[in-house]
Amino acid sequence: MIAGLVVVAQPAAAHGQLAVSVPGKDSTLDAPMEKLQLYFTEKPAPNAYFAVLSPSGRRLDTQWSHGEPKRLDEPVRELWLSNGKWEPRLFETGFPAMVPVAYWPEQGVYTVKYVSRASDGELVKGEVRFEYTGTIAKAPAGWQAPDNEPDPALLVEPSHVAASTAPITQPDQGPQSVQPSQGPQAVQPSSLFSQQPAAVGESTSSSGNDGGFVVWLIPAILVAGVLILLVSTARRPANKTR
């Protein structure tokens, strides 16, 4: 069980947040510690960032490491994103990040900053402040304060967030939203030159054939009548001569 200087954190809004710490938030530490302990509701990301700052702003931390999980004195309530909905869950185990402190140069308020990502993609970021009243010491020989910053990958929105918001953005990407610009009604004016001539041609050809038949039928009848009259006229005189 985690006890002593541990202070249980308030219920977090998302998963993977800080549950407790040693020293606890806003507590007082009266003796130097070799490693600070920050317990999260799940194992911190491998590229998580931790920094310990003295009251004057000096970096005092060295490379952090994972520790052995422990059962929390009190479960921590968090909200878990499941199928696009936030569901409350209780977490009873703390997963620590062990952050070594090289030395304690002064008394006053120290700050532990952290940045990580939870397994569901939620950003895990915050700080723990506590007051140190113990003995002070000089920097060890060859000590060089770290100057690294959080991994940029920790600050980039994960792909799952975009996927989880797909139901919201889907109407703007669906066929209904693009149909006005791509549907038959939108392209019909320009398609008259590519598709309508065939139909118009067929209609014109049909009406042209009907009209042509009528036009040629009348002269044909007239010509036939004239020929009949000529033949009749030509035959009559021949009959009279005989």
Side-chain angles (χ1 to χ4, degrees), residues 172-229:
D172 296 334
Q173 299 174 358
Q176 295 80 0
S177 62
V178 298
Q179 186 173 358
S181 61
Q182 298 179 1
Q185 295 80 0
V187 300
Q188 186 173 359
S190 60
S191 65
L192 289 175
F193 298 96
S194 60
Q195 297 179 355
Q196 292 301 324
V200 173
E202 291 174 1
S203 176
T204 303
S205 175
S206 175
S207 61
N209 290 338
D210 295 342
F213 177 76
V214 174
V215 171
W216 287 104
L217 179 61
I218 295 174
I221 295 174
L222 293 176
V223 171
V226 171
L227 290 175
I228 293 172
L229 291 174

Side-chain angles (χ1 to χ4, degrees), residues 101-238:
V101 179
Y103 67 109
W104 299 83
E106 54 192 308
Q107 296 182 341
V109 178
Y110 283 68
T111 303
V112 184
K113 295 185 177 183
Y114 59 88
V115 181
S116 184
R117 278 279 176 185
S119 60
D120 62 357
E122 292 299 321
L123 179 64
V124 179
K125 181 179 181 180
E127 61 181 35
V128 175
R129 292 175 177 269
F130 61 91
E131 184 175 4
Y132 178 71
T133 59
T135 58
I136 60 177
K138 296 181 178 180
W143 164 252
Q144 186 174 356
D147 58 359
N148 64 306
E149 297 293 335
D151 185 347
L154 294 172
L155 306 178
V156 176
E157 282 298 326
S159 58
H160 96 281
V161 173
S164 65
T165 58
I168 300 177
T169 59
Q170 188 174 0
D172 296 334
Q173 299 174 358
Q176 295 80 0
S177 62
V178 298
Q179 186 173 358
S181 61
Q182 298 179 1
Q185 295 80 0
V187 300
Q188 186 173 359
S190 60
S191 65
L192 289 175
F193 298 96
S194 60
Q195 297 179 355
Q196 292 301 324
V200 173
E202 291 174 1
S203 176
T204 303
S205 175
S206 175
S207 61
N209 290 338
D210 295 342
F213 177 76
V214 174
V215 171
W216 287 104
L217 179 61
I218 295 174
I221 295 174
L222 293 176
V223 171
V226 171
L227 290 175
I228 293 172
L229 291 174
L230 290 176
V231 171
S232 298
T233 304
R235 289 180 178 179
R236 287 176 183 175

Side-chain angles (χ1 to χ4, degrees), residues 71-82:
R71 184 177 179 84
L72 300 173
D73 287 340
E74 296 182 20
V76 175
R77 178 181 179 275
E78 290 187 339
L79 297 178
W80 179 282
L81 185 62
S82 177

